[in-house]
Amino acid sequence: MKFRALTAVAALLLAPAAFAGGADDDTLTINGDLDMVTKAAAPDHLSDVLDEVISGWHFRSDETQQLQTDDFENQGMIFVDQAIDQWNTAEGTEGKSCADCHSDPADSMVGVTTTYPKWNEDAGEMRTVQMQVNDCRTNRMGAEAWKYDAGAAVSMEALIASVSRGMPVDVAIDGPAAEYWEAGKDIYYTRYGQLELSCANCHEQNYGNYIRADHLSQGQINGFPTYRLKNAQLNGAHSRFKGCIRDTRAETFSAGSDEFIALELYVKSRGNGLSVEGPSVRN
């Protein structure tokens, strides 16, 4: 009876409010010349549930949207600048920097974000951008691995994302990735916590509505890492996953866990065709 009552409360919170509305029709152009695809036809694997995939940018206020249109206003770019310094800093027993192997990220990292998470054949595992960076740090630089979704790790991911802005997300979900994609899908549709809510309850069935004061988006992660005005810091996708599951009043998985790697692959694939926006700005 208690769970049923909580579920009923959750349903009321998700009900369309009088001021609720769908995605706006604004267009996102960055720095006056970089046009972003923020709405696209849903990929084939979503054809039974969505006709269109929509960036979370469309569900934010005009003031928040404006911050992302100019790199001087986008607070996330501060962390990108920090990562550029880190890129050029030699570390570890090998005395190497990222630049020693990869030169300028504006050349060597273009397009990388669009395909991650991806299967790494040599390692026999699904890897995220942060995992690949840590592999370089430990095996090529002789440096310590960074903590997942924290500090330098998420800033470096933002730098790598920034040089692919405007390019379409295109993660592979077949071959060795298929098993992980299915696992991520299972998590996406599983109800968690005392509120018995799944990712799909908010971001597939109720996007455009409000839950309390939050305008629900489709939960696309093409804009991650994202600077959130709520906590005034750069946030990785796994940190956002943790927050969502925690909000259902459930025990959550850890950033960098197998569960969140699979979920990242699945959610990223839901945005195939949208432009990479990271670092984006959200509330």
Side-chain angles (χ1 to χ4, degrees):
M1 179 66 73
K2 180 180 179 182
F3 282 157
R4 289 179 182 175
L6 287 167
T7 302
V9 170
L12 286 173
L13 289 172
L14 287 168
F19 49 92
D24 65 27
D25 293 322
D26 295 344
T27 57
L28 174 58
T29 300
I30 296 177
N31 299 330
D33 59 7
L34 181 57
D35 296 328
M36 313 294 282
V37 176
T38 53
K39 294 182 180 180
D44 290 343
H45 60 267
L46 290 183
S47 60
D48 57 335
V49 292
L50 292 175
D51 295 323
E52 185 178 44
V53 290
I54 307 170
S55 166
W57 182 82
H58 283 287
F59 298 86
R60 303 282 64 92
S61 68
D62 291 344
E63 292 79 10
T64 301
Q65 287 181 339
Q66 186 63 33
L67 292 173
Q68 199 177 320
T69 65
D70 189 328
D71 283 352
F72 287 104
E73 298 291 335
N74 183 342
Q75 297 97 318
M77 295 305 293
I78 296 172
F79 299 90
V80 170
D81 288 341
Q82 293 173 356
I84 291 173
D85 290 339
Q86 184 70 53
W87 180 274
N88 293 305
T89 299
E91 280 191 85
T93 59
E94 299 302 310
K96 290 184 177 181
S97 68
C98 301
D100 287 330
C101 291
H102 300 290
S103 62
D104 189 335
D107 296 321
S108 61
M109 295 291 111
V110 173
V112 168
T113 293
T114 65
T115 61
Y116 274 83
K118 68 187 298 184
W119 178 256
N120 185 295
E121 189 65 39
D122 292 337
E125 65 181 4
M126 183 64 60
R127 281 190 177 172
T128 64
V129 168
Q130 289 188 42
M131 290 171 67
Q132 189 61 48
V133 169
N134 271 336
D135 180 75
C136 284
R137 287 183 58 78
T138 57
N139 292 323
R140 297 181 181 276
M141 297 169 64
E144 291 186 3
W146 285 327
K147 182 179 179 181
Y148 206 97
D149 253 9
V154 72
S155 295
M156 186 62 70
E157 185 179 10
L159 167 59
I160 294 170
S162 71
V163 299
S164 294
R165 285 184 297 177
M167 299 181 69
V169 174
D170 186 23
V171 295
I173 63 173
D174 57 357
E179 179 182 355
Y180 292 83
W181 186 83
E182 290 289 352
K185 182 178 180 180
D186 285 343
I187 294 172
Y188 190 86
Y189 286 100
T190 296
R191 293 176 179 268
Y192 288 97
Q194 291 181 320
L195 294 183
E196 294 186 309
L197 291 173
S198 70
C199 307
N201 290 144
C202 288
H203 299 298
E204 182 176 286
Q205 299 162 5
N206 282 285
Y207 71 88
N209 294 330
Y210 281 79
I211 183 166
R212 297 191 177 95
D214 189 21
H215 193 190
L216 292 172
S217 72
Q218 287 186 348
Q220 301 290 351
I221 59 171
N222 60 301
F224 276 80
T226 184
Y227 182 87
R228 295 194 72 197
L229 301 175
K230 180 179 180 179
N231 60 9
Q233 67 183 38
L234 197 64
N235 297 260
H238 291 202
S239 296
R240 186 77 289 267
F241 293 161
K242 283 181 64 176
C244 280
I245 293 180
R246 189 169 53 242
D247 287 346
T248 70
R249 301 177 189 172
E251 293 292 330
T252 186
F253 306 111
S254 300
S257 64
D258 290 342
E259 291 84 359
F260 277 167
I261 293 167
L263 183 59
E264 180 180 349
L265 174 64
Y266 177 71
V267 176
K268 187 81 171 282
S269 78
R270 291 175 69 94
N272 274 358
L274 295 176
S275 291
V276 172
E277 295 179 28
S280 62
V281 182
R282 303 289 188 259
N283 58 304

